[in-house]
Amino acid sequence: MAFDPNNVMQDRITDIGPPSYDKFFPPIIKENFGKWKYHEILEPGVLMHVAESGAALYSVRVGSARLISTEYIREVCAIADKFCDGHMRWTTRNNIEFLVSDKAKLAPLLSDLRGRGSWFPIGGTGNSITNIVHTQGWAHCHTPAIDASGVVKAVMDELFDYFGSHKLPAQVRIALACCLNMCGAVHCSDISILGVHRKPPFVENERVQNVCEIPLVIAACPTAAIKPKKFGERKSVEINNSRCMFCGNCYTMCPALPLADAEGDGIALWVGGKVSNVKSAPMFSKLAVPYIPNEPPRWPTTVQTIKTIVEAYAAGGRRYERVGEWINRIGWERFFEKTGLEFAHEHIDDYRLAMTTWRTTTQFKF
Amino acid sequence: MAFDPNNVMQDRITDIGPPSYDKFFPPIIKENFGKWKYHEILEPGVLMHVAESGAALYSVRVGSARLISTEYIREVCAIADKFCDGHMRWTTRNNIEFLVSDKAKLAPLLSDLRGRGSWFPIGGTGNSITNIVHTQGWAHCHTPAIDASGVVKAVMDELFDYFGSHKLPAQVRIALACCLNMCGAVHCSDISILGVHRKPPFVENERVQNVCEIPLVIAACPTAAIKPKKFGERKSVEINNSRCMFCGNCYTMCPALPLADAEGDGIALWVGGKVSNVKSAPMFSKLAVPYIPNEPPRWPTTVQTIKTIVEAYAAGGRRYERVGEWINRIGWERFFEKTGLEFAHEHIDDYRLAMTTWRTTTQFKF
Amino acid sequence: MALKHATPMLDELEKGPWPSFVSDVKRLAAKGNLMCEDWLGLMELSFKEKEGHWKHGGIVGVFGYGGGVIGRYCDRPDLFPNVAHFHTMRVNQPASKYYNSDVLRKICDLWDAKGSGLTNMHGSTGDIVLLGTTTDQLEPIFYELTHDLKMDLGGSGSNLRSPEGCLGMSRCEWACINTQDIIYDLTQEFQDALHRPMFPYKFKFKSSGCPMDCVAAIARADCSIIGTWRDDIRIDQEAVKGYVGGEIVPHGGAGGPRKDFDIKAEVIDLCPTKCMAFDGKTLKIENSDCVRCMHCIRVMPRALRPGVDTGATILLGAKAPILEGAQLSSVVIPFIKMESPYTEFKEFVEKLWDYWMENGKNRERLGELIQRQGLRELLKAVELEPDPRMVNTPRYNPYIFYDPEKVPGGWEHDATEYRKRHQA
Amino acid sequence: MALKHATPMLDELEKGPWPSFVSDVKRLAAKGNLMCEDWLGLMELSFKEKEGHWKHGGIVGVFGYGGGVIGRYCDRPDLFPNVAHFHTMRVNQPASKYYNSDVLRKICDLWDAKGSGLTNMHGSTGDIVLLGTTTDQLEPIFYELTHDLKMDLGGSGSNLRSPEGCLGMSRCEWACINTQDIIYDLTQEFQDALHRPMFPYKFKFKSSGCPMDCVAAIARADCSIIGTWRDDIRIDQEAVKGYVGGEIVPHGGAGGPRKDFDIKAEVIDLCPTKCMAFDGKTLKIENSDCVRCMHCIRVMPRALRPGVDTGATILLGAKAPILEGAQLSSVVIPFIKMESPYTEFKEFVEKLWDYWMENGKNRERLGELIQRQGLRELLKAVELEPDPRMVNTPRYNPYIFYDPEKVPGGWEHDATEYRKRHQA
Ligand code: SRM
Ligand code: SRM
Ligand code: SRM
Ligand code: SRM
Ligand code: SF4
Ligand code: SF4
Ligand code: SF4
Ligand code: SF4
Ligand code: SF4
Ligand code: SF4
Ligand code: SF4
Ligand code: SF4
């Protein structure tokens, strides 16, 4: 039965949930599910997983822009059909993996991919810089301080060499979020790119009462900077600018409190976070650079600063040492020295848990 | 001129400050000040410091109750006269050091000290348990939840063997404070004995207005549990018992809010703090036992629990490893196992920085 | 074909070796996709002005669901009428995102016909994100999705969000739990919570098969389910020799095809608990000291494997910074067996949600509630006993809220008797 | 001689090998000291009832001073009239507590005549604590103290408290600064602040000669002055050989007279920054990586010594838990030369106090003020530049209070222009 706009309840299907996880498995995975024995990365981007049965699955990982069109997906499908009996998957970091059951098709697949211009860079495995987890930016969201896809493209272009190689001490995970909501694991990445506002919202007193629920707006502010205030006859709010740290949470609650601003907005860079429990426990990312101006279309200062950090790490990190582990070993004083970044007031925490970050020992390096 | 009670201003001397630090130095220290070259502990309690000049100073350290009478001080003076030309000092942990410039007098001094009953135990150096830093308790303060000197005596009797020997992995510093004001380094000791109340203050509504400044009382409460309240015509305060964590700070501000109680009060034990910057940074002590009843005159449960902790450490700690470093290495799960202490709700922090203490990793031991 | 809007700034992003979303979208726009054309123009304007041009959502959605669609309107419909409405539909992905070309082409067909043709593969939570359609298309799309693709919407708003896991047993030798089945099962079990707002705020499940945490559960999920084991690491001593002898590439090749493996420097010395020893022949692990960090296993995957008594560690409360600061998840169940149908775990979840729904304030994440009320309240609500594995360190402040039930007389004093003993 | 009060519980504390304060006080009481007799009775009562029997102070003191005396009254003067008043006098100790028998006997004479004969040698802050006298004795004692003993009272109340240091250069080879002179000089310089309340709350200076911190300055002093060096550790390679060869007892004998010294296990491997190497002959230290933790030095005191370019690290804010939780001191000046007359340091202190006095609330310790206003405000007030050595880690929350002066247009938006670009 076709959809009938006048009767949306007809034949309605709801709450079926997603397809089962195994619905689209290639046969080799069905057969060896839970029985994999070991893996080996044959070359950057090419994984081999061997099952107890001896069966081997080859996964070829390619980078992707994540913001992709149906055109692009159709191309991916065509490749999968040609080499993988139509099977593929996406990784948790938005890379695509072509799943090859027949080893003979591996080399042809690789050369096919290489023949398709820059659409399908092979890499992202092992001690590489894999795809940047990111968010909407100017593409689709209402609170961004920066674009997402544009910055990611510019950064990945510069770091491209690290995507398709295994030459870093360990994996480096970069993430981007376009505002403090941090729609990603930006707070725990080796390097994080964060869109920040630097001007408090302005209050459109005429509109507040119409478009906002004032108690929700007040409750939304983490630093209690917002108070109710009458504006003539109309109910509105007042912002104590000196308590505002520009999170934009009030704007999410109330469109009459815009804070975006071409000169105010920009990028803060964070370093040293991680998620895995390998060797050291998961860690938050810490502030490296408080502010870099928004520089579309290619954000050169941001890109170069990240490059500098990566290269300092590549030069100084020891095998298996994540960025944060490297910094913990050499000390933050050395991190700032080696990267040439400036240490400023913004780096010193002054929020709720600030005192747990101060140096309460005479141990440091001159 | 003698003091004239009718004219206190006559000849008044003020603001002269303490005697200069070098006023009572023995000559050997005057001569070698700032020119010491190395030291060696000849035996527990006996330090030798050698100067660049070759001169050697022998310091004999003896334990002391700290709460001492003029009788006792006079005896100390007599000993100092006999062997040290009258020179001695007190350490930062209330031990006494007899300063011997003439090596020939060292052995006679030691045997003299040993001949004086239990007044002058020799030890407290190196990898020992030295004197317990402590406070007033029932001897002189108005807020204690426990006695100080009595507990210290009972604990040191039990640990006596560790005072006069070097058999621990590292030094162990024990401190006691009789209330949460913590008049000592109790918050950073290997083992801390802390007097705790467990009942909120009761409000003597009749008296509050007369004896207290209500705004100060309210401001004194760390958890904002106190509010002003009228009691008939009189101003008083009300305590939200469920927010009270029994610190007694309001009682310090206001005698009409007593909280001491025979059954409510008792001891909490803390472990793993340190002050020195050696190897690891200074650390706070952490809760080991939330509550042990007050058991005068010899606090057997407290004493035995401390003994258990010390022995677990003595058995498991590695050379140079302070109690806190030992626990950090083996993990808190093992600490509770090895000591047989119970882990309970009270151990889980729920104050301001609580979230920084939770286990945000899958790394732990079964 | 020339596009409607010149995009000199965006065009700069067609350079360079990384795939260009600009080239991609232009390609589709060039086929006559009007939404793509205007979207490019709008992006160019944002690049020029350094400010975004999307307004708040407004409530749009499909009938009977309280989530799955993010409303979005452009603030320059005068200039870009084709993206005046540009709502997102979140389509719940199959756990860990295996597809075949058949189903993907169907999605493309649907989205070319009824949406912008732009997608995110995938959203940060895990959904297939279909970017940009108009309000009138929502129901038709939903109909086709459920009827023809047998797919459903994902979560948004104060709902359960689409759960996600790492690929687990499908391709990974380290998976200690069946993450995919867990995620699928929970998603099905809690369909109602996923589609209809019933919580104080959003709630996320993520599951990783082992402590590598390849889905970043510990950083991003209110409830993180992470596989682990409680018996011994399995050792194949022959393979150890293979590594030591340079016959097997270390670290599964992640550091390149090198031959200079040094077991002491790379494994023994880097074990965080120093519980390993190698005497030149045999590798020994003092498993009671192992914290299952996976380091040795990942360096020598052919020699070492997780144990066989597997299950999960459950951690709670991860979230992004707003309001009370970012949190990682904290251990509340050190070990739980996770076997279908996950009854014990689901009972735990029900208790957890009851507690949160009863005590959480509007827009208060679970982690914030735990922060506000303390872990003690949570543990009581979900009937768990305190365990040192829940903390890195016991409290170091003396601000203990002693339980009055354990104090003789509770909170009461006998004031009269007190003053008999103590003159005021 | 039988004492006035039976003390069966206290008598239990006469047993055991540790010196007994009970035996000591009984000895004095037996000589006819009435205060001691009643004090013993009062203690016995406290032991029996498990509650203390002292009341709050009330304001007592010597003329012109706002500190130095702690008033104390007993709440059972009916039973123990001789300790009805039992005030403490804090006598400022000579820095690091060297005495000769002459001066101590004078103190004993004074205290036997005019006080209880009970003392604390010493109080936790460092004072000679004379425990127990009556109000009418305060002035006579003060007179004798200043005239005959040339001593003065120490601090109490919202004053500077009696500063204290480790014994430093007087007997320790590791002292990098002259702690005793620093403490004496500061005490003299700031006599007024010590005797007259001028602060929001108490303020403590403590100084240790090296990072061992034998006076626990980092845990207990609002301003902690800790000696350190910024050049290289001095190495005597011959002595290193002596240790390795078992000729010199390691750790200065602190672990007993053992001969099994293992330089690798005990020194090289335990160095927190792993900046040492020993090739069997020569010990090397990569000093630029050294964090001056003193470990290697304390293990081999005859081979290693601190450098010669010495000075101090200044840390601020340590305190006990009330109100805002215990704090350790935090680095604010990584390195400062400390040479008499300490002008630069004193200027810093003046700025610090100005800031605290201007901004501190009543009963707010310096550390709490810094917590409340942030380190940034403090650094501005004392004119110091931010330095990574001040933090263990830079901030990890994104709640940055950007300085409006660095933002074009500061906090202002052009609302009209904004709405030209963005329709509402
Ligand atoms: C495919 C994917 C899982 C999925 O369900 O999609 C995956 C797959 C594997 N991961 Fe992962 N990880 C994947 C995301 C992650 C994440 C999550 C993230 O980055 O957001 C993490 C945590 C990151 C962090 O700590 O910040 C992650 C931390 C690891 C680690 C830990 C490395 C470390 O030094 O901390 C390993 C072990 C290793 O590589 O040494 C690992 C190892 C592996 C192995 C070797 C597991 C196996 O035996 O198959 C897989 C191939 C790794 C490789 O690419 O070299 N995987 N892995 C994800 C690929 C993402 C991508 O496209 O790049
Ligand atoms: C006399 C005294 C200083 C004073 O001005 O009075 C002192 C004197 C020495 N200390 Fe200390 N320390 C003294 C209190 C401290 C304190 C403060 C405290 O305990 O309240 C500490 C910090 C404690 C802490 O970390 O919790 C302290 C931590 C050290 C350390 C670090 C040990 C460690 O493993 O952390 C050393 C080095 C060592 O012993 O290995 C040290 C070393 C020394 C040396 C060897 C220094 C020297 O070269 O002369 C002295 C003899 C040590 C011994 O007794 O074995 N001293 N030392 C104090 C004696 C107290 C007592 O009567 O027991
Ligand atoms: C689409 C997506 C970003 C992306 O480009 O992938 C996204 C987009 C938005 N997120 Fe998010 N979040 C997305 C994953 C996340 C994640 C990551 C995750 O789920 O693993 C997080 C961090 C983890 C967490 O939940 O804390 C995240 C933390 C937030 C927050 C902050 C929540 C907090 O407690 O701090 C907000 C603010 C809010 O809820 O008001 C938010 C709000 C939003 C809103 C709805 C904007 C708003 O304030 O109303 C964004 C809509 C953008 C749009 O127009 O399309 N989003 N958001 C992700 C969802 C796609 C999907 O379903 O797969
Ligand atoms: C006598 C002494 C304990 C001892 O037995 O040695 C002492 C005794 C008292 N202290 Fe203390 N404090 C003593 C050293 C300390 C120390 C240790 C130090 O100075 O190194 C501390 C911890 C460090 C610090 O300053 O934070 C200390 C932290 C407190 C506090 C909590 C302050 C805070 O900010 O948290 C209070 C509460 C108050 O000020 O109201 C306090 C209050 C008190 C009062 C005045 C009680 C009160 O609330 O009014 C006690 C008087 C007892 C009496 O009747 O004799 N005492 N007090 C110490 C002073 C002797 C001396 O001058 O040498
Ligand atoms: S990070 Fe902020 S701006 Fe970016 S998608 Fe999420 S909510 Fe929108
Ligand atoms: S932007 Fe954030 S901090 Fe500023 S007023 Fe709004 S909610 Fe408060
Ligand atoms: S710790 Fe408390 S009870 Fe003990 S002396 Fe200090 S203030 Fe008094
Ligand atoms: S005892 Fe402490 S927590 Fe309780 S009411 Fe008094 S000040 Fe507040
Ligand atoms: S989390 Fe563990 S089980 Fe899952 S993919 Fe990563 S390594 Fe494999
Ligand atoms: S898993 Fe980690 S902790 Fe366990 S043995 Fe291996 S390296 Fe050590
Ligand atoms: S702090 Fe340093 S200088 Fe002072 S006594 Fe201790 S070891 Fe010596
Ligand atoms: S002082 Fe400490 S950090 Fe420096 S070399 Fe010695 S052990 Fe290493």
Side-chain angles (χ1 to χ4, degrees), chain D residues 318-351:
Chain D
K319 56 175 290 292
I322 312 296
L323 294 175
E324 295 293 332
Q327 280 182 247
L328 288 157
S329 278
S330 303
V331 175
V332 296
I333 305 183
F335 188 86
I336 182 175
K337 278 282 179 191
M338 287 297 276
E339 274 152 18
S340 180
Y342 315 108
T343 316
E344 188 187 344
F345 178 73
K346 286 176 190 164
E347 282 167 10
F348 162 76
V349 170
E350 295 288 357
K351 281 183 270 187

Side-chain angles (χ1 to χ4, degrees), chain D residues 181-212:
Chain D
D181 191 57
I182 291 167
I183 291 303
Y184 180 66
D185 189 314
L186 295 178
T187 311
Q188 293 296 344
E189 175 90 17
F190 300 122
Q191 275 293 297
D192 194 34
L194 201 151
H195 296 304
R196 288 157 205 100
M198 51 187 267
F199 296 140
Y201 204 3
K202 60 187 80 167
F203 190 95
K204 297 180 180 175
F205 284 115
K206 296 196 202 291
S207 178
S208 284
C210 81
M212 292 305 180

Side-chain angles (χ1 to χ4, degrees), chain A residues 276-279, chain B residues 333-334 359 361-366, chain C residues 176 210-212 226-233 271-273 275 285-297 305-307 309-313 331 334-335 389:
Chain A
S276 83
N277 293 279
V278 181
K279 288 191 356 268
Chain B
E333 50 275 41
R334 287 287 179 273
R359 179 103 55 162
T361 172
T362 58
Q363 290 192 13
F364 54 78
K365 297 177 188 177
F366 281 116
Chain C
C176 297
C210 81
M212 292 305 180
I226 303 186
T228 195
W229 67 95
R230 57 182 172 184
D231 53 348
D232 292 354
I233 290 177
C271 166
T273 59
C275 66
I285 299 178
E286 180 49 51
N287 281 280
S288 68
D289 278 338
C290 169
V291 291
R292 292 152 285 106
C293 84
M294 301 283 304
H295 173 67
C296 55
I297 297 176
R305 303 175 74 182
D309 183 10
T310 56
T313 299
V331 175
F335 189 85
R389 292 161 190 85

Side-chain angles (χ1 to χ4, degrees), chain B residues 39 41 47 49 61 89-95 97 124-127 130-131 133 170-171 173 185 188-190 273-278 320 322, chain D residues 96 165-168 171-174 212-216 220 251 254 298:
Chain B
H39 75 276
I41 310 178
L47 297 158
H49 282 84
R61 187 177 296 171
R89 70 176 293 269
W90 265 258
T91 72
T92 58
R93 296 188 72 89
N94 310 313
N95 285 317
E97 289 179 341
T125 52
N127 296 345
T130 180
N131 210 341
V133 161
Q171 59 172 50
R173 304 279 144 131
C188 296
S189 293
D190 295 279
K274 74 187 280 264
V275 166
S276 83
N277 293 279
V278 181
Y320 303 113
R322 295 284 296 268
Chain D
S96 76
C166 76
L167 50 65
R171 203 190 63 194
C172 183
E173 69 268 31
W174 296 329
M212 292 305 180
D213 199 0
C214 294
V215 76
R220 305 190 298 161
H251 197 188
R298 64 104 175 237

Side-chain angles (χ1 to χ4, degrees), chain C residues 36-254:
Chain C
C36 284
E37 276 203 330
D38 270 4
W39 181 85
L40 286 164
L42 182 78
M43 280 292 274
E44 179 73 14
L45 183 66
S46 301
F47 270 57
K48 232 187 307 190
E49 292 180 348
K50 301 194 275 188
E51 288 170 4
H53 281 282
W54 299 105
K55 300 203 291 184
H56 287 63
I59 297 155
V60 291
V62 301
F63 188 83
Y65 276 18
V69 181
I70 308 295
R72 196 58 82 212
Y73 303 91
C74 162
D75 72 9
R76 298 309 300 270
D78 51 334
L79 303 176
F80 310 106
N82 294 313
V83 293
H85 295 208
F86 204 67
H87 311 320
T88 280
M89 295 192 83
R90 294 183 177 171
V91 176
N92 200 337
Q93 81 291 355
S96 75
K97 304 164 190 139
Y98 282 85
Y99 300 97
N100 62 21
S101 49
D102 189 40
V103 65
L104 285 184
R105 279 204 197 88
K106 279 191 191 147
I107 293 179
C108 291
D109 292 343
L110 166 67
W111 197 235
D112 280 338
K114 299 193 165 63
S116 69
L118 298 185
T119 77
N120 290 142
M121 294 291 275
H122 292 75
S124 290
T125 308
D127 293 295
I128 301 169
V129 172
L130 302 179
L131 275 175
T133 190
T134 53
T135 310
D136 55 337
Q137 293 291 3
L138 297 175
E139 287 294 350
I141 292 169
F142 182 67
Y143 186 94
E144 209 173 313
L145 204 59
T146 48
H147 283 77
D148 302 348
L149 280 88
K150 314 281 178 225
M151 285 188 165
D152 201 346
L153 292 185
S156 71
S158 290
N159 296 13
L160 175 64
R161 298 309 183 82
S162 305
E164 183 52 306
C166 76
L167 49 64
M169 294 184 168
S170 73
R171 203 190 61 194
C172 184
E173 70 267 31
W174 296 330
C176 297
I177 51 176
N178 190 341
T179 54
Q180 295 169 303
D181 190 58
I182 290 167
I183 291 302
Y184 180 65
D185 189 316
L186 295 178
T187 310
Q188 293 297 345
E189 175 90 17
F190 300 122
Q191 275 293 296
D192 194 35
L194 201 151
H195 296 304
R196 287 155 206 102
M198 51 186 266
F199 296 140
Y201 204 3
K202 61 186 79 166
F203 191 94
K204 298 181 179 174
F205 285 114
K206 295 195 202 293
S207 178
S208 284
C210 81
M212 292 305 180
D213 198 0
C214 293
V215 76
I218 207 168
R220 305 190 297 160
D222 302 86
C223 179
S224 320
I225 305 160
I226 303 186
T228 195
W229 67 95
R230 57 182 172 184
D231 53 348
D232 292 354
I233 290 177
R234 286 174 284 167
I235 309 183
D236 175 342
Q237 299 287 359
E238 283 312 304
V240 173
K241 290 199 188 96
Y243 280 104
V244 174
E247 290 145 35
I248 314 179
V249 61
H251 197 188

